[in-house]
Amino acid sequence: MLHLRAVCPPERTGEALAFLRGHAGTAHLVLHRGVAVQPEGDLIEADIAREAADEIVDALCALDLDRAGGITLEALDTALSDAADAAEEAAPGEGADAVVWQELLGRTGEEARWNLTFQAFLVIACLLAAVGVVTDSAVTIVGAMVVGPEFGPLAAIAVGLVLRRRDLAARAGVALLAGFPIAMAVTLGGVLLGSATGVFDPSAIVGNHAVDFVYQVGVASFVVALLAGAAGMLAMTSAKSAALVGVFISVTTVPAAGYAMVAAVAGRWDRTGYSLLQLVVNLAGIVLAAAAVLAVRRRRRSSALSRPLSSG
């Protein structure tokens, strides 16, 4: 279940209430008249089935509540209510399969922004990857995969492509095109400093075979990227967000960027090139698969909307 709060202009309250009252996926409908201060109006609250959320939000937006008032959604961990159970039963589909498109746009839009936090995580992840490469530590490489924040912008590009939101795709592209070069430049500086001070020897990568998978690009790399992109988008568009951790540790985007910088300092330009190719292959595979999954889910949603829905 999701909790819906809508600030509503008084002249629209009747229509909004009538729709929510008549929708089978609504429970616990509450009206607070005149309590909203900015913008002024009434406050409507309801618990709604996740699988009905997209239709309900679209209807409220059609009443201009997103412009003249405001609509917020938050997940409910527990709802002990026969009315809530009845709403979930009456709403078409399964909650875990439902895509709340406005929620997806808001989530990917926020994660697609290039900012200091995003850049800091990417720098730290690349530095961790470089340390893992030099020390031949697969565990450190996995840590770099988990810390890396790159899936957010990649998912945003996929959403932008499928929903034809050029602004979203462009914003995410900027985050990646600015974020990776900066992170790699900082990593290069770190590796040069470590080499100059004798903290570690970048040439040790020649014998560090436990992390060779980072730069060994091939068909398997692309397949893994496709699977990771598909799983990641499924996790973002459903209630299975915990699966994202598995996505983070299955692709070698950040490790490839870190390996490229270590190999460059070591003078192994062949491995530098393969690592950069690995990075591109992973980025492209994730976006392609994520966009394909999203396109399929959008088509299913269009088919569902073409069928009559039950209402109370």
Side-chain angles (χ1 to χ4, degrees):
M1 296 291 289
L2 299 174
H3 184 67
L4 169 76
R5 296 175 72 253
V7 175
C8 184
E11 63 272 16
R12 295 288 190 184
T13 300
E15 294 176 85
L17 276 178
F19 175 80
L20 290 170
R21 185 181 288 114
H23 197 285
T26 301
H28 313 144
L29 185 59
V30 178
L31 172 63
H32 307 277
R33 290 198 179 273
V35 298
V37 176
Q38 187 178 0
E40 294 184 357
D42 303 324
L43 175 62
I44 299 174
E45 296 187 82
D47 294 332
I48 60 176
R50 180 181 175 85
E51 53 269 42
D54 201 47
E55 181 190 4
I56 290 174
V57 170
D58 283 348
L60 296 181
C61 288
L63 295 176
D64 211 32
L65 298 196
D66 55 330
R67 298 180 182 275
I71 304 169
T72 60
L73 289 172
E74 59 181 329
L76 294 177
D77 293 329
T78 305
L80 303 178
S81 164
D82 287 346
D85 293 341
E88 287 189 309
E89 286 292 331
E94 295 291 334
D97 296 333
V99 182
V100 184
W101 293 93
Q102 292 296 334
E103 177 189 52
L104 179 63
L105 279 170
R107 184 177 179 184
T108 54
E110 181 62 29
E111 294 184 356
R113 297 183 183 277
W114 181 82
N115 50 44
L116 290 178
T117 301
F118 172 83
Q119 189 64 64
F121 271 112
L122 194 54
V123 167
I124 293 171
C126 283
L127 289 171
L128 277 173
V131 171
V133 167
V134 172
T135 60
D136 201 26
S137 172
V139 173
T140 306
I141 294 292
V142 171
M145 293 175 178
V146 175
V147 172
E150 73 278 5
F151 185 76
L154 293 173
I157 291 176
V159 172
L161 291 174
V162 173
L163 300 185
R164 298 180 182 179
R165 289 288 303 269
R166 293 183 180 179
D167 57 329
L168 180 60
R171 190 188 312 147
V174 168
L176 293 173
L177 291 175
F180 268 103
I182 292 174
M184 292 168 72
V186 173
T187 302
L188 178 62
V191 175
L192 287 171
L193 180 62
S195 178
T197 57
V199 174
F200 50 73
D201 180 13
S203 63
I205 63 171
V206 176
N208 291 352
H209 300 300
V211 296
D212 282 351
F213 68 92
V214 174
Y215 76 89
Q216 290 174 342
V217 61
V219 176
S221 303
F222 187 62
V223 171
V224 170
L226 289 174
L227 294 173
M233 186 52 69
L234 281 172
M236 290 196 74
T237 56
S238 69
K240 307 295 184 182
S241 58
L244 280 173
V245 177
V247 175
F248 297 156
I249 61 176
S250 61
V251 290
T252 53
T253 47
V254 163
Y259 198 111
M261 296 302 95
V262 175
V265 174
R268 295 302 303 264
W269 299 109
D270 55 336
R271 295 193 181 189
T272 299
Y274 285 132
S275 297
L276 293 176
L277 181 59
Q278 179 84 285
L279 174 62
V280 173
V281 166
N282 276 271
L283 294 176
I286 290 172
V287 171
L288 287 174
V293 168
L294 198 62
V296 170
R297 304 208 76 175
R298 191 184 187 199
R299 190 175 298 112
R300 288 181 59 188
R301 182 228 182 192
S302 299
S303 300
L305 290 179
S306 66
R307 298 193 295 268
L309 299 175
S310 60
S311 60

